[in-house]
């Protein structure tokens, strides 16, 4: 399965920045061990359904740790 997703916090830290949330998301993706690629629009992860969805869930939880809301767009393609 190939999943492309984007996770966006609704607000940033006390300065309005989102760099910490983005760094946390990237760290979770890299630590998943799944093949991945980040581009201007999405992060792509490839693997088995359960592993990919678990990684995407952890990313959303990591980004949602600070702001009150998180927007997520996820596109999945089965092979």
């Amino acid at each position: 399965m190939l999943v492309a997703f984007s996770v966006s916090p609704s607000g940033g830290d006390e300065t309005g920045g989102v760099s910490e949330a983005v760094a946390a998301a990237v760290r979770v993706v890299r630590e998943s061990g799944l093949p991945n690629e980040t581009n201007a629009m999405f992060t792509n992860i490839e693997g088995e359904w359960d592993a990919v969805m678990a990684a995407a869930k952890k990313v959303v939880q990591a980004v949602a740790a600070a702001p009150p809301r998180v927007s997520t767009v996820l596109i999945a393609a089965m092979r």
Side-chain angles (χ1 to χ4, degrees):
M1 144 172 270
L2 180 63
V3 168
F5 67 91
S6 172
V7 181
S8 303
S10 64
D13 59 20
E14 60 278 349
T15 67
V18 296
S19 61
E20 287 185 32
V22 171
V26 170
R27 188 170 37 256
V28 169
V29 170
R30 303 295 186 257
E31 290 173 354
S32 74
L34 298 169
N36 63 80
E37 172 188 69
T38 301
N39 58 48
M41 294 290 292
F42 293 100
T43 295
N44 304 317
I45 299 180
E46 188 172 1
E48 296 297 319
W49 175 273
D50 290 339
V52 170
M53 290 302 162
K57 179 180 179 181
K58 286 180 184 178
V59 169
V60 171
Q61 290 171 331
V63 173
R69 292 193 180 109
V70 174
S71 171
T72 304
V73 174
L74 189 137
I75 303 167
M78 301 291 289
R79 291 184 187 205

